[in-house]
Amino acid sequence: MQVRLAFAVSALVAAAPTLAATLGGNLGCGAPSLTSEDHAELQALSMFPSAVEAERGPVSIPVYWNTLTDNSGQGNLTASQIQEWMSVVNKGYAKTGFSFRLAGTRYLQDSAQFNTKGVDTAATVRLRDSLHVGNQRTLNIVTLNMLSAGYVGYATYPWVYRSEPRQDGVLIHYDLRPGSTDPNNNLGHVLIHEIGHWLGLLHVFSGSCDGDGDGVADTPPQKTLSRGCPTGKDSCPNRPGLDSIHNYLDYSDDVCLREFTPGQVARMKQFYGAYRA
């Protein structure tokens, strides 16, 4: 839902503890809380949308994939597994105008780095800096053991690139690939979720029933995250629309997630035009 994005991000910060809530059992998304600088960026973009040229044509995004393993080889992904995961991502974004092509892969064996203790620890910041390739249009993905940090994944928002370009990208738990051993997230859809953040989307359950949520007009008000696939869930019964349980930016099980709204697609194109084009 949306009235003005500036209000939406304020509501999101107020709900910051929810961002680390459970996803598929004990797994959590590490989408960062928004800072005052983020507020200013998003408010300007919301107040003056005509000054931003949204990306109108198809966009092919180069992806550099970094696979970390521990010293025993845990975390290894074969070339075919990476390609299969990329295919899932492209299927998820097929109607958005965005596609993703594998531009390079790299393997690193280091138990300490693999078992990260947090996305913003000094060690992980150095790791992200050392692995980063390309510019603002390049998606850097690192697979590692995110569960040791208490998350399934993490992504930087597009406006962060200007101040921290070498931190830009996505970190994701290696065993959330298609065919994962995780019973709730075994189709690879968590990566679609994290890339949505990288392209500027917020969680559909951002804020409260009375706020402006994720800043997108066609996602109904939603107060709480979803788990499983709760048909008919309505966390804001006094507002129009049911919860977006099938939306990639909710926390439903992979089998339940299958869509972006037209408003989310427009928002991704707007943010790409503003920050990544």
Side-chain angles (χ1 to χ4, degrees):
M1 62 175 295
Q2 186 264 349
V3 175
R4 189 175 295 279
L5 187 57
F7 298 128
V9 296
S10 297
L12 178 64
V13 172
T18 305
L19 296 179
T22 56
L23 167 60
N26 295 320
L27 306 179
C29 171
S33 299
L34 302 183
T35 66
S36 58
E37 289 80 8
D38 296 334
H39 283 222
E41 289 282 351
L42 295 177
Q43 185 173 16
L45 192 62
S46 178
M47 291 176 66
F48 305 105
S50 61
V52 176
E53 181 65 26
E55 187 62 41
R56 301 187 184 280
V59 176
S60 177
I61 295 175
V63 175
Y64 284 88
W65 192 292
N66 299 277
T67 299
L68 269 65
T69 71
D70 68 8
N71 293 338
S72 70
Q74 181 184 1
N76 186 58
L77 296 174
T78 66
S80 62
Q81 288 172 330
I82 293 171
Q83 287 288 359
E84 183 181 13
W85 211 344
M86 289 285 294
S87 295
V88 167
V89 169
N90 277 311
K91 182 177 180 180
Y93 281 87
K95 297 180 180 180
T96 68
F98 292 98
S99 62
F100 303 85
R101 53 185 171 82
L102 192 62
T105 57
R106 181 164 39 183
Y107 290 81
L108 175 66
Q109 187 177 66
D110 187 318
S111 290
Q113 297 280 25
F114 173 73
N115 294 303
T116 180
K117 301 304 180 185
V119 296
D120 290 324
T121 63
T124 303
V125 168
R126 287 194 300 270
L127 173 72
R128 291 158 63 187
D129 182 271
S130 68
L131 295 178
H132 191 273
V133 176
N135 56 25
Q136 75 276 12
R137 294 183 291 274
T138 308
L139 174 57
N140 284 257
I141 295 175
V142 181
T143 61
L144 68 171
N145 178 16
M146 288 292 289
L147 303 190
S148 58
Y151 302 117
V152 295
Y154 170 89
T156 54
Y157 293 120
W159 53 88
V160 175
Y161 182 87
R162 287 186 296 192
S163 60
E164 297 181 290
R166 298 194 64 82
Q167 296 299 300
D168 187 54
V170 168
L171 307 179
I172 189 163
H173 185 63
Y174 73 94
D175 197 27
L176 295 179
R177 61 177 178 81
S180 162
T181 59
D182 185 281
N184 304 307
N185 300 283
N186 54 16
L187 299 179
H189 290 174
V190 175
L191 184 53
I192 298 174
H193 176 110
E194 297 301 338
I195 294 173
H197 289 314
W198 186 79
L199 288 170
L201 296 182
L202 308 181
H203 290 132
V204 292
F205 52 84
S206 301
S208 67
C209 296
D210 297 324
D212 300 314
D214 61 353
V216 177
D218 59 0
T219 56
Q222 182 170 331
K223 186 177 181 179
T224 61
L225 60 89
S226 303
R227 300 175 65 184
C229 194
T231 302
K233 177 173 175 278
D234 189 359
S235 59
C236 295
N238 295 323
R239 301 295 300 275
L242 298 175
D243 289 4
S244 301
I245 65 168
H246 299 299
N247 195 285
Y248 286 119
L249 269 292
D250 203 347
Y251 274 12
S252 304
D253 289 354
D254 273 10
V255 70
C256 195
L257 300 175
R258 58 172 180 256
E259 64 190 18
F260 293 108
T261 68
Q264 286 177 312
V265 173
R267 177 58 50 81
M268 287 189 283
K269 290 181 177 180
Q270 182 189 27
F271 278 15
Y272 187 90
Y275 299 107
R276 297 204 180 278

